[in-house]
């Protein structure tokens, strides 16, 4: 198996990231043979099944046969997975990057896009003939072949009508324009809304690097929630010039005007947008929990470990920044000017090499360590 990191140039088939972004990203598919030479996957079928039985992982089981589809959500019981038939199903686990540091590294090999755009690494297993049917996704996706082989059929159709009443999104009509058989280490990039269908050729595992593109509705709703928690408006409804109304039940024009001007006092600045975006995009998903160390090192021992081995973010941690404001798992931290450059390095690379930690930085990182947000690098 090829260990991470995966060089970007090879991943993108010899294209530089600038050229990939200009010519393919969100525009057209790209097939890369041997994007990860020698890749056999990061976990086996049994390890994936174990993840599908955990309640802190999101998993799905898709079954198909005679043109009918069914969908079940995990966590599953090990006996149920062991009893699956030889054919006609696919098991999918989202967020595998939260459980395996190597999967986190694979996901972050795609850091030619901002970290805030990376969603997760999904891994699927299907026996011969299995798959999730012809469909389209609303997001960009890189489909990397792990174990076995898969045939990918794709089409640029505008007709995105879905089968009504099906428990998952299956295209009513699928027009295949191109198809390829992917071998371990091959990769297919698809822009959003590109129709595709992956059929396992024998036992097959596929690694999908997914991206995050929240809808305007979602952003606006979340921003209103953010604003509501911080809103401080002065004043109260008042009507010292009240005239007796002709219809007491009628909502008068003065009343509407006053309410409208109260609402018009809701204002925000660019700094509020920065803080909202940082918190919102670094907020862990609902099922994600951190494990603080059971027997934490004392501060001095932690600093010693950092000097000896370096530190790495927990695979579940999301760390973003804007200037000297850092957003860690939904919280904001304003860093001192001397601390910010090292924190930016940690955010970009998700690790820092063996280093002496100045006091201010050690305080911050030790606190994050105690919360389970980062760890000393394991011994080699
Ligand atoms: C799969 O791994 O079977 C599904 C990936 C996809 O079509 O997006
Ligand atoms: Co898809």
């Amino acid at each position: 198996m090829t260990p991470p990191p995966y060089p970007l140039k090879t991943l993108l088939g010899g294209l530089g990231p600038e050229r990939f972004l200009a010519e393919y990203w969100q525009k057209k598919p790209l097939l890369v043979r041997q994007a990860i030479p020698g890749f056999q996957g990061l976990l086996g079928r049994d390890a994936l099944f174990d993840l599908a039985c955990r309640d802190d992982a999101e998993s799905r089981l898709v079954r198909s046969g005679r043109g009918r589809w069914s969908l079940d959500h995990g966590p599953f019981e090990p006996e149920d997975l062991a009893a699956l038939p030889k054919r006609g199903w696919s098991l999918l686990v989202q967020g595998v990057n939260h459980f395996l540091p190597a999967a986190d590294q694979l996901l972050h090999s795609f850091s030619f896009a901002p970290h805030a755009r990376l969603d997760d690494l999904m891994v699927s297993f299907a026996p011969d003939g299995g798959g999730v049917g012809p469909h389209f996704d609303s997001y960009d996706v890189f489909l990397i072949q792990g174990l076995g082989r898969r045939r990918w059929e794709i089409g640029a159709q505008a007709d995105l009508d879905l089968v009504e009443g099906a428990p998952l999104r299956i295209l009513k009509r699928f027009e295949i324009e191109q198809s390829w058989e992917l071998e371990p280490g091959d990769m297919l990039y698809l822009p959003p809304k590109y129709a595709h269908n992956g059929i396992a050729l024998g036992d097959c595992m596929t690694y999908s690097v997914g991206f995050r593109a929240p809808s305007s509705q979602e952003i606006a709703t979340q921003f209103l929630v953010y604003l509501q928690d911080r809103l401080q408006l002065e004043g109260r409804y008042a009507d010292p010039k009240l005239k007796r109304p002709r219809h007491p039940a009628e909502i008068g024009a003065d009343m509407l005007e006053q309410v409208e001007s109260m609402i018009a006092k809701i204002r925000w600045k660019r700094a509020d947008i920065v803080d909202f975006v940082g918190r919102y995009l670094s907020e862990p998903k609902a099922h994600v929990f951190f494990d603080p160390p059971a027997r934490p090192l004392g501060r001095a021992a932690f600093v010693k470990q950092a000097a000896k081995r370096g530190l790495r973010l927990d695979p579940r941690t999301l760390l973003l920044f804007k200037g000297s404001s850092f957003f860690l798992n939904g919280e904001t931290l304003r860093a001192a000017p001397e601390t910010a450059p090292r924190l930016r390095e940690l955010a970009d690379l998700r690790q820092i090499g063996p280093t002496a930690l100045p006091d201010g930085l050690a305080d911050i990182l030790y606190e994050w360590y105690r919360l389970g947000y980062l760890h000393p690098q394991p011994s080699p």
Side-chain angles (χ1 to χ4, degrees):
M1 183 193 313
T2 319
Y6 307 104
L8 205 47
K9 190 102 188 174
T10 318
L11 261 188
L12 298 176
L15 295 177
E18 286 75 17
R19 195 161 151 219
F20 172 78
L21 290 173
E23 290 178 24
Y24 294 90
W25 178 250
Q26 302 227 305
K27 298 168 199 71
K28 59 183 183 190
L30 175 69
L31 173 73
V32 180
R33 294 285 181 196
Q34 291 307 287
I36 307 179
F39 187 65
Q40 293 287 334
L42 302 175
L43 73 172
R45 167 196 153 121
D46 291 351
L48 188 74
F49 279 31
D50 288 349
L51 286 180
C53 297
R54 288 174 62 143
D55 56 12
D56 55 353
E58 263 181 273
S59 53
R60 285 172 290 156
L61 178 64
V62 173
R63 280 179 261 216
S64 59
R66 294 197 210 100
R68 295 173 69 90
W69 296 88
S70 79
L71 170 68
D72 290 294
H73 290 277
F76 297 98
E77 295 300 328
E79 316 69 88
D80 295 339
L81 297 182
L84 282 167
K86 277 212 161 65
R87 292 178 63 106
W89 55 273
S90 179
L91 181 73
L92 305 103
V93 181
Q94 297 287 150
V96 171
N97 51 300
H98 290 171
F99 301 97
L100 295 182
D104 182 43
Q105 277 175 295
L106 175 57
L107 177 68
H108 285 91
S109 299
F110 291 80
S111 289
F112 57 85
H115 287 184
R117 283 281 271 127
L118 290 175
D119 192 3
D120 75 337
L121 183 76
M122 179 183 83
V123 182
S124 68
F125 176 91
D128 189 41
V132 298
H135 67 282
F136 66 91
D137 299 305
S138 309
Y139 314 102
D140 306 81
V141 64
F142 288 88
L143 300 155
I144 305 164
Q145 191 57 29
L147 169 85
R149 293 184 308 131
R150 169 163 249 149
R151 185 167 69 251
W152 282 105
E153 305 168 336
I154 68 166
Q157 63 197 62
D159 170 5
L160 297 178
D161 284 357
L162 299 174
V163 173
E164 283 136 33
L168 63 161
R169 294 145 39 88
I170 303 286
L171 282 166
K172 227 181 210 169
R173 293 165 287 272
F174 178 43
E175 291 149 41
I176 304 168
E177 288 173 354
Q178 279 177 292
S179 95
W180 302 278
E181 284 180 15
L182 268 67
E183 305 269 349
D186 291 348
M187 183 178 83
L188 176 63
Y189 163 73
L190 293 176
K193 301 238 167 108
Y194 221 93
H196 55 286
N197 187 27
I199 303 149
L201 304 170
D203 281 359
C204 162
M205 289 178 82
T206 298
Y207 292 66
S208 306
V209 172
F211 289 79
R212 184 172 182 191
S215 66
S216 311
Q217 178 67 24
E218 158 80 7
I219 298 261
T221 306
Q222 293 301 324
F223 183 60
L224 289 175
V225 171
Y226 171 89
L227 219 49
Q228 179 179 318
D229 290 346
R230 286 158 183 81
L231 206 56
Q232 281 286 352
L233 295 184
E234 301 294 319
R236 180 181 294 280
Y237 191 88
D239 47 8
K241 294 187 183 150
L242 183 65
K243 299 263 180 323
R244 186 179 175 197
R246 218 148 66 93
H247 298 288
E250 190 181 20
I251 297 169
D254 288 354
M255 184 175 270
L256 287 175
E257 230 162 77
Q258 200 177 145
V259 170
E260 196 169 10
S261 65
M262 280 172 159
I263 292 173
K265 285 187 191 144
I266 303 174
R267 291 275 152 75
W268 55 88
K269 300 197 176 71
R270 173 55 78 93
D272 300 309
I273 301 285
V274 171
D275 192 53
F276 159 69
V277 170
R279 286 173 188 263
Y280 166 65
L281 291 176
S282 69
E283 181 74 42
K285 290 181 187 164
H287 62 277
V288 171
F289 297 98
F290 291 87
D291 305 313
R295 281 190 304 280
L297 301 168
R299 190 180 182 285
F302 170 79
V303 169
K304 226 170 157 178
Q305 289 286 312
K308 202 166 151 202
R309 304 199 215 286
L311 301 168
R312 66 172 171 86
L313 293 180
D314 185 87
R316 288 162 286 197
T317 285
L318 294 167
L319 177 59
L320 305 173
F321 69 85
K322 174 77 185 154
S324 297
S325 296
F326 290 81
F327 306 99
L328 176 80
N329 298 328
E331 305 275 334
T332 307
L333 173 111
R334 294 267 325 154
E338 63 280 11
T339 310
R342 299 306 305 279
L343 288 180
R344 286 197 280 264
E345 180 192 336
L346 176 63
D348 279 340
L349 303 176
R350 297 186 60 77
Q351 57 184 349
I352 39 182
T355 183
L357 298 178
D359 267 353
L361 185 61
D363 289 343
I364 295 170
L365 298 181
Y366 184 59
E367 167 73 9
W368 292 358
Y369 159 72
R370 302 259 329 206
L371 293 166
Y373 294 171
L374 62 75
H375 316 281
Q377 289 280 18
S379 38

